[in-house]
Amino acid sequence: VFVLFDSDHSGKIDFEELVLGVNVLTNGSVEQKAALAFAAFDRNGDGRISRGELEISIKRSFAAARLLIKETIRQMKQDAKEAGVPSLAVRMMGASEGLITTAVIKGLVDEAFKADDNHDGFLSKEEWVEHASTNATIKTFMEPCGEGEKEFTGDMDAC
């Protein structure tokens, strides 16, 4: 997130950068959020995303999500045991662990690189933003939940 908000690459986030970054994340269009994501994925700052950069970014995103999920599952298991839920059901709560494999990540990278219109082996900002704006899976992560809603209401079907 620091890299996303430090728009002048000063190594510091000033108040204006913080406000602008939070505003884009919460209220920005899919295109604005895609442009912000591009800045994070372009790890070496050369103005394009390589397959390696995208793979690392996806792996790190899943690793962060996995930590959150693992803690949630741990708490759910504890709550279930305390409530007397059968042990098989408790074990099933953690069954999704490890579903994000190298093959899944490679598939996501391959899918994204279909947007490499000039076939140079990199995604430009324009190629990435166009892809993110039209790809249903990516749009799901960048659009607010529900029609016109700005926060999650608890209705998983609205997302």
Side-chain angles (χ1 to χ4, degrees), residues 25-109:
L25 287 177
T26 57
N27 299 315
S29 67
V30 171
E31 292 81 9
Q32 289 171 314
K33 291 176 185 177
L36 201 58
F38 181 88
F41 296 162
D42 179 18
R43 302 182 58 77
N44 65 5
D46 66 357
R48 58 191 191 168
I49 302 172
S50 69
R51 285 180 168 274
E53 287 173 318
L54 187 56
E55 185 177 320
I56 288 168
S57 296
I58 291 171
K59 283 180 181 178
R60 288 188 175 173
S61 296
F62 281 135
R66 189 178 299 120
L67 287 174
L68 291 172
I69 291 167
K70 190 179 260 187
E71 177 57 26
T72 302
I73 289 171
R74 187 196 65 72
Q75 186 61 50
M76 288 172 58
K77 285 180 177 180
Q78 182 179 335
D79 293 348
K81 283 180 183 178
E82 290 172 5
V85 174
S87 62
L88 177 61
V90 171
R91 284 196 307 271
M92 289 175 63
M93 287 179 188
S96 65
E97 184 73 25
L99 289 180
I100 303 303
T101 64
T102 301
V104 170
I105 292 170
K106 182 184 180 314
L108 292 169
V109 171

Side-chain angles (χ1 to χ4, degrees), residues 8-28:
D8 64 2
H9 308 290
S10 66
K12 299 176 184 176
I13 299 174
D14 62 31
F15 183 72
E16 183 178 339
E17 289 171 322
L18 176 65
V19 170
L20 289 173
V22 170
N23 186 48
V24 169
L25 287 177
T26 57
N27 299 315

